[in-house]
């Protein structure tokens, strides 16, 4: 194929625009890192939570930082957020630093903190309930997460969801391409739109049926599974309010929305104040 002068000029302009975007993105990252330096060694009990910046509708567009922060708030563990695009050694975010030790992955971070601070949010559960808690956590994070990710990044326009303004559109689109690849490898991405929505509905139904009229999944006290379910559901209830999943919850599973408000009011009284302007 032979390119004309107009074609080469257009390609040059496009390449220049991408280059400018990359420079602006990197500059924003550097400026953000300067706002809060991550201590390498800190002998205090403060836990540093590294995550991407706040959104305008939810504290994080990812369910896992919300899960981790909710756990820290319930357990009353002192922590500070470090908003940066600094990924862990496993290439994941969020992660924590505590007394100079880095712990990647929200669940491993919770297990580490349980030992360090002698915390057990499931102490009130029976052995059978602990098993159910584990099952719900894994259903939400290993199944429902991918179903919702397929909608946000593949089937819908990812730009409609709430993301920190420092993340440029091209970065979201690029991340969407990666999610498509990962979802195919995981298996969820191999299903049709209708099949994935069916899977999502069944997961919503399972949580809703078990929750019933209870305050939390297992009664009047929250556990780690509540944190995980909350982190995932707020992406639908408060973030993607335009989605068919939001309508599904409102019309068929209203107790899931009630659950989100219960968790938000109990452990995030500063929700509106900490959101990005």
């Amino acid at each position: 194929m032979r390119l004309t002068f107009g074609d080469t000029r257009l390609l040059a302009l496009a390449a220049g625009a991408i280059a400018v975007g990359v420079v602006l993105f990197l500059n924003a990252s550097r400026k953000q890192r300067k706002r809060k330096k991550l201590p390498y060694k800190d002998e205090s009990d403060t836990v540093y939570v590294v995550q991407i910046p706040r959104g305008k509708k939810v504290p994080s567009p990812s369910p896992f930082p919300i899960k981790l922060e909710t756990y820290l708030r319930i357990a009353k563990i002192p922590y500070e957020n470090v908003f940066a695009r600094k990924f862990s050694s496993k290439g994941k975010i969020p992660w924590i630093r505590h007394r100079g030790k880095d712990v990647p992955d929200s669940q491993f971070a919770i297990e580490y903190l349980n030992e360090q601070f002698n915390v057990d949010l499931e102490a009130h559960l029976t052995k059978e309930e602990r098993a159910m808690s584990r099952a719900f956590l894994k259903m939400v994070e290993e199944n429902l997460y991918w179903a919702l990710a397929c909608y946000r990044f593949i089937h819908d326009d990812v730009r409609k969801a709430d993301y920190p303004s420092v993340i440029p559109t091209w970065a979201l689109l690029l991340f969407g391409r990666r999610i498509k690849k990962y979802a195919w490898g995981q298996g969820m991405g191999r299903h049709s739109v209708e099949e994935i929505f069916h899977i999502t509905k069944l997961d919503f139904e399972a949580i809703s049926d078990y929750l019933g009229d209870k305050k939390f999944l297992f009664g009047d006290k929250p556990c780690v599974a509540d944190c995980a379910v909350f982190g995932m559901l707020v992406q639908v209830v408060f973030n993607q309010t335009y989605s068919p999943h939001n309508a599904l919850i409102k019309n068929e599973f209203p107790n899931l929305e009630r659950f989100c408000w219960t968790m938000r009011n109990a452990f995030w009284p500063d929700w509106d104040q900490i959101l990005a302007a």
Side-chain angles (χ1 to χ4, degrees):
M1 180 179 177
R2 186 176 181 181
L3 297 177
T4 65
F5 173 75
D7 293 330
T8 55
R9 185 184 180 199
L10 183 61
L11 288 173
L13 288 173
I18 293 174
V20 171
V22 171
V23 171
L24 292 175
F25 182 64
L26 293 176
N27 284 340
S29 298
R30 294 190 189 99
K31 289 179 181 178
Q32 196 161 29
R33 284 195 291 268
K34 290 179 181 178
R35 293 176 192 168
K36 182 77 175 181
K37 291 185 178 180
L38 188 62
Y40 180 70
K41 290 185 178 179
D42 186 342
E43 296 306 317
S44 71
D45 281 336
T46 300
V47 176
Y48 295 93
V49 180
V50 184
Q51 60 172 303
I52 60 176
R54 298 294 194 198
K56 294 181 179 180
K57 296 180 181 179
V58 289
S60 175
S62 169
F64 303 104
I66 295 180
K67 165 196 170 184
L68 181 56
E69 272 200 78
T70 303
Y71 159 84
L72 289 164
R73 288 166 177 245
I74 295 174
K76 295 180 172 57
I77 295 175
Y79 76 97
E80 291 184 20
N81 286 307
V82 179
F83 297 113
R85 286 179 293 275
K86 182 177 177 61
F87 291 87
S88 71
S89 58
K90 294 183 178 181
K92 302 177 70 174
I93 204 166
W95 56 279
I96 65 168
R97 176 169 292 176
H98 178 245
R99 294 184 175 178
K101 179 180 177 63
D102 295 347
V103 184
D105 187 88
S106 63
Q107 190 59 32
F108 283 140
I110 288 173
E111 293 175 12
Y112 166 83
L113 294 172
N114 282 343
E115 294 182 359
Q116 294 296 310
F117 290 88
N118 193 26
V119 171
D120 184 2
L121 295 189
E122 301 188 344
H124 61 289
L125 303 183
T126 65
K127 187 175 181 179
E128 290 76 13
E129 287 174 333
R130 282 177 177 265
M132 284 296 298
S133 175
R134 174 72 175 180
F136 270 117
L137 186 147
K138 286 304 170 183
M139 180 189 75
V140 166
E141 296 189 344
E142 306 296 343
N143 194 67
L144 182 58
Y145 168 79
W146 286 106
L148 295 177
C150 282
Y151 173 77
R152 181 189 289 191
F153 292 101
I154 303 173
H155 305 147
D156 195 46
D157 186 347
V158 66
R159 293 169 293 185
K160 290 163 62 177
D162 175 40
Y163 283 95
S165 57
V166 296
I167 301 179
T169 300
W170 66 263
L172 291 177
L173 297 175
L174 179 61
F175 187 66
R177 292 178 61 183
R178 291 182 179 178
I179 287 293
K180 185 175 182 179
K181 179 181 178 181
Y182 297 156
W184 182 267
Q186 187 268 349
M188 189 66 71
R190 299 170 187 258
H191 302 311
S192 67
V193 175
E194 294 76 19
E195 289 170 335
I196 294 176
F197 187 79
H198 173 70
I199 291 171
T200 304
K201 182 177 180 179
L202 291 179
D203 284 356
F204 283 169
E205 185 176 32
I207 301 170
S208 176
D209 287 348
Y210 194 84
L211 177 65
D213 295 328
K214 299 191 296 293
K215 188 175 181 180
F216 304 113
L217 284 173
F218 298 95
D220 293 331
K221 293 182 179 181
C223 65
V224 175
D226 288 290
C227 301
V229 171
F230 176 66
M232 199 68 61
L233 291 182
V234 296
Q235 302 301 327
V236 176
V237 174
F238 300 130
N239 188 348
Q240 296 172 271
T241 54
Y242 53 83
S243 69
H245 307 93
N246 181 277
L248 181 64
I249 286 179
K250 286 184 177 296
N251 296 330
E252 298 190 34
F253 310 113
N255 64 337
L256 297 185
E257 182 174 12
R258 172 189 52 82
F259 169 79
C260 287
W261 279 106
T262 298
M263 292 285 289
R264 173 173 163 172
N265 291 335
F267 308 113
W268 291 82
D270 55 343
W271 183 284
D272 291 328
Q273 288 70 44
I274 63 176
L275 297 180

